[in-house]
Structure formats: structure tokens, C-alpha cells
């Protein structure tokens, strides 16, 4: 989706995007061992349209879940369970198949009203959060900082969707640096299709209506964010390039070399390197250490993480010219031969 579409959605707080089941399947199969005996909370999900609810309800026994809890924000028409309109937000509890047909039937799902509007920040929704072991959902992009802060406050495991640009947020980057949050396994490039409500305005490139009549948008830079480990995360990035001062110039204001492309990280350089943000798609915490980030003119020692040699401009400069935002890294492993 065009960036302006995301910006408009944030401004209007209309970022109610529904994740496709295919994207959920492609990511969740990397974590099956994490879910056995656990209570899963999807706290930004209307089960009428939420594929998170569908995935966990239909794979409840396969994953060995203890309980599935889903909360809805101001749900107005619970036609999945009732023909009557509901003027209150609700939450659902599902504890597995009871009649042996391996299908989550309506009578097996407990639908309970909430006193408030179902906002994940409300007191009653926080009580549900406390009950959960793992949170899996697509939170509002406009509230990503606040959403992650709440997960951290209550010490929850999570698997959520966001935009890769959030890695530059001062609230998010330290979590990445300190190995408390990382990217998921399945999405590393391209865009992703999301369904949107019927009242969503399709006024930008990447929007459309599919053959079934559902409205959708395509969003660039989408990533999964998690603190659940998976084996692919520990695979080394194969390095093959030799270091040379000509190809890897040093910054004017940092004792670090510039690397324009992640695949070009030199195997024989042990000092600090500035790499693109997309390096995080290949990041192995056993191979590299993340030291900091420089993405703006303002110098923040806690974020930059390495000594600064300049006076005013903290951007990664080469011969006085600004380069793109960079993450500062250093190899942990021995030189490859």
C-alpha cells in the first residue's frame, strides 16, 4: 500500500486491517512447540472476520491449547453467534471441541459481554491479558508503541504484526537491541494484502475489491514481531566479501564503516559496521551484536550506542553527505574462512 494510505489511516485511527489466513499459517507453523498447554489471547479481533480466531479455534487440539480468548472492540453485530445486534463489546472463550466433530461450534464458545468498549487498554481487558500466556494478533498500527509497552509491562509472550519502520522508534529499538523483541520467520520483503471493513474508503494505489466482494488494501513493510524463539533465527548469514577501505568508507562522525547492502557485510572486518535496517531480516543474535542505531539528526546516546565524533549532526555522514538510516552492528563470531 502507498505510504499515504497508512498515514491517512493513522490520522483517522482507521487501521482496522484483517490478516489473511495464509499469512497466519505461514508464520504460526514455526512456533507450534510454544503453544501446548497455553492460553492464547487475541485482543484486537472480531471473530466474525478474524482469521486469528479461525486459526486457533480450528487448530485448538493440534496445538494442544488450554484456552482461547478473543476480545472484540465495540462489536455491533455478532451474527456468527446470534441474529440479534449487540450494543456492547464482547469477549469469547473457547476450551476445545466437546461434541467430537472437531469443529468449534457456537454452543461450545462462551460469549460474554464486556462492561466497556473492549479497548485492549481497559481494566477488564487487562485482566484477560493477565490470564493469557501468549498474545497473537494484528494490533492497530497507530497504537503499536502503546500496545508493545503493555505486553512488556505484563511480561507476555507475543506474536504480532506491525510495520518494519517501527524499529526506528525510540520505544521499540531498545527492545530489539536487548534481544527482547525480534522479527518473525515468514515475511522479509514485499507487501501483504489485508481485508478492511466495508466502510473503508479505497482511495489509493494498492486498494481494491476481490472477486467475492471484499475490500482490501496492500501494505508494504509488514513484519511479524515476536519474543518466541524459532530455529531459523539462529542460522548464520553467509559472508563472502573482503573488506577494503575504498568499498566500505568510514563515517565522518562515527568510528564505523558503511555497508550499503546486508549481503555485502565483509567477513574479515571485526569493527563496528553501519548496515541497512533490513539487516534485521537476516539478524542472528549468535553471529552479530546490535550496538545502536542512527536514523536522525538528533543525537541520543541511548539509541546510537557508539561514540559520536561530530558536533551537531548525528546522522551517518560520509564526506558531509547523509546516508540512509543505519543500524550499528559488530560480529560476535570468528572470521569465516
Amino acid at each position: 500500500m502507498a505510504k499515504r494510505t497508512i498515514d491517512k489511516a493513522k490520522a483517522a485511527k482507521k487501521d482496522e486491517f484483517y490478516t489473511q489466513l495464509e499469512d497466519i499459517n505461514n508464520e504460526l507453523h514455526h512456533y507450534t512447540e510454544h503453544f501446548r498447554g497455553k492460553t492464547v489471547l487475541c485482543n484486537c479481533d472480531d471473530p466474525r472476520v478474524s482469521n486469528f480466531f479461525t486459526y486457533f479455534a480450528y487448530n485448538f487440539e493440534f496445538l494442544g491449547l488450554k484456552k482461547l480468548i478473543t476480545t472484540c472492540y465495540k462489536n455491533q453485530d455478532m451474527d456468527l453467534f446470534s441474529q440479534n445486534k449487540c450494543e456492547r463489546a464482547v469477549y469469547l472463550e473457547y476450551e476445545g471441541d466437546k461434541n467430537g466433530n472437531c469443529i468449534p461450534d457456537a454452543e461450545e464458545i462462551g460469549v460474554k459481554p464486556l462492561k466497556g468498549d473492549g479497548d485492549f487498554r481497559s481494566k477488564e481487558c487487562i485482566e484477560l491479558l493477565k490470564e493469557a500466556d501468549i498474545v497473537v494478533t494484528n494490533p492497530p498500527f497507530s497504537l503499536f508503541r502503546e500496545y508493545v509497552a503493555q505486553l512488556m509491562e505484563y511480561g507476555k509472550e507475543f506474536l504480532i504484526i506491525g510495520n518494519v519502520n517501527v524499529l526506528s522508534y525510540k520505544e521499540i529499538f531498545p527492545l530489539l537491541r536487548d534481544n527482547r523483541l525480534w522479527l518473525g520467520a515468514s515475511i522479509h520483503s514485499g507487501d501483504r494484502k489485508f481485508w478492511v471493513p466495508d466502510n473503508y474508503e479505497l482511495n489509493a494505489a494498492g486498494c481494491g475489491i476481490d472477486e467475492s466482494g471484499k475490500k482490501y488494501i496492500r501494505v508494504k513493510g509488514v513484519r511479524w514481531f515476536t519474543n518466541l524463539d524459532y530455529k531459523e533465527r539462529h542460522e548464520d548469514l553467509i559472508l563472502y566479501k573482503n573488506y577494503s577501505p575504498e568499498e566500505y568508507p568510514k563515517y565522518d562522525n562515527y568510528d564505523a564503516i558503511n555497508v550499503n547492502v546486508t549481503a555485502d557485510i565483509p567477513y574479515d572486518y571485526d569493527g563496528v559496521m553501519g548496515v541497512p535496517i533490513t539487516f534485521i531480516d537476516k539478524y542472528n543474535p549468535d553471529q552479530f551484536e546490535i550496538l545502536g542505531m542512527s536514523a536522525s539528526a538528533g543525537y541520543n546516546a541511548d539509541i546510537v550506542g557508539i561514540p559520536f565524533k561530530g558536533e551537531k549532526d548525528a546522522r551517518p555522514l560520509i564526506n558531509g553527505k547523509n546516508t540512509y538510516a543505519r543500524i550499528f552492528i559488530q560480529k560476535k563470531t570468528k572470521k569465516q574462512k
Side-chain angles (χ1 to χ4, degrees), residues 237-243 248 262-268 336:
L237 174 64
I238 303 302
L239 308 177
Y240 68 96
K241 296 269 291 189
N242 291 103
Y243 166 73
Y248 301 97
T262 297
D264 291 345
I265 293 174
Y267 73 84
D268 54 352
Q336 297 187 21

Side-chain angles (χ1 to χ4, degrees), residues 248-307:
Y248 301 97
K250 281 197 171 183
Y251 299 111
D252 301 344
N253 46 350
Y254 296 104
D255 185 14
I257 64 170
N258 179 64
V259 181
N260 286 321
V261 181
T262 297
D264 291 345
I265 293 174
Y267 73 84
D268 54 352
Y269 190 83
D270 294 328
V272 179
M273 299 173 278
V275 297
I277 291 178
T278 51
F279 158 81
I280 300 304
D281 288 318
K282 303 292 185 180
Y283 171 52
N284 174 357
D286 306 321
Q287 185 180 17
F288 295 98
E289 179 182 7
I290 295 176
L291 304 175
M293 169 185 271
S294 183
S296 64
Y299 181 75
N300 183 324
D302 291 336
I303 300 298
V304 173
I306 63 174

